Amino acid sequence: MREILAITRALADENRLRALACLRIGELCVCQIIELLGLAASTVSRHLWILRQAGLIEGRKEGRWMYYRLAGPDAPPAARAAIDWLMTVLPSEKRIAEDARRLKLILKVEPEVLCCNQREGISCCPAPEAAGGRITRRSRP
């Protein structure tokens, strides 16, 4: 029962669903996920930790870089079923389609550049509502 509760809690957040959806293309560096979600690194790390605890994603560290991917076939059956269901229903969501378009731009930028830009508060790709393809400063509330 705990496994199912962890999965349902993990899925009860739009940003975690967006992170899961972007991982359907394969493994991503955490800086790429941060750029896509437009959230603080600590917030994204917390979301990824929750998804990992639920068995929905796997992570690996390579040097100073952290990479995440959807859990593989050896994931617990409930997690695997949740992933399979989500990958069927999420692509039809408007926000997920916008994220997919934006992720294509993000993937053109080297992770090292993303990381440096994030430390300086610069976004490589404007939010969907922003005009043009120029580099913009992130707005901090």
Side-chain angles (χ1 to χ4, degrees), residues 10-65:
L11 300 180
D13 182 272
E14 180 181 354
N15 288 310
R16 290 194 287 269
L17 291 176
R18 292 175 62 205
L20 282 170
C22 78
L23 292 172
R24 74 181 184 269
I25 68 160
E27 187 175 73
L28 293 174
C29 177
V30 71
C31 64
Q32 294 165 320
I33 300 169
I34 290 168
E35 188 68 28
L36 178 71
L37 297 179
L39 300 172
S42 60
T43 302
V44 173
S45 291
R46 178 74 177 156
H47 285 312
L48 294 171
W49 180 84
I50 291 167
L51 291 169
R52 197 171 183 182
Q53 291 298 314
L56 297 167
I57 64 172
E58 300 169 345
R60 71 176 178 88
K61 191 162 177 75
E62 187 176 302
R64 66 181 190 156
W65 307 104

Side-chain angles (χ1 to χ4, degrees), residues 23-132:
L23 292 172
R24 74 181 184 269
I25 68 160
E27 187 175 73
L28 293 174
C29 177
V30 71
C31 64
Q32 294 165 320
I33 300 169
I34 290 168
E35 188 68 28
L36 178 71
L37 297 179
L39 300 172
S42 60
T43 302
V44 173
S45 291
R46 178 74 177 156
H47 285 312
L48 294 171
W49 180 84
I50 291 167
L51 291 169
R52 197 171 183 182
Q53 291 298 314
L56 297 167
I57 64 172
E58 300 169 345
R60 71 176 178 88
K61 191 162 177 75
E62 187 176 302
R64 66 181 190 156
W65 307 104
M66 190 68 189
Y67 294 90
Y68 289 96
R69 64 186 169 279
L70 291 175
D74 57 336
R80 194 68 247 155
I83 291 167
D84 292 344
W85 173 69
L86 286 169
M87 295 309 118
T88 302
V89 297
L90 283 178
S92 64
E93 292 293 319
K94 182 181 176 187
R95 183 71 186 262
I96 300 303
E98 290 170 2
D99 283 350
R101 284 189 293 277
R102 195 153 176 263
L103 187 56
K104 286 180 184 178
L105 297 173
I106 292 168
L107 292 174
K108 292 179 181 179
V109 180
E110 291 296 321
E112 294 88 358
V113 174
L114 282 176
C115 186
C116 289
N117 286 350
Q118 289 166 358
R119 280 196 298 264
E120 294 178 21
I122 300 171
S123 176
C124 77
C125 309
E129 56 275 354

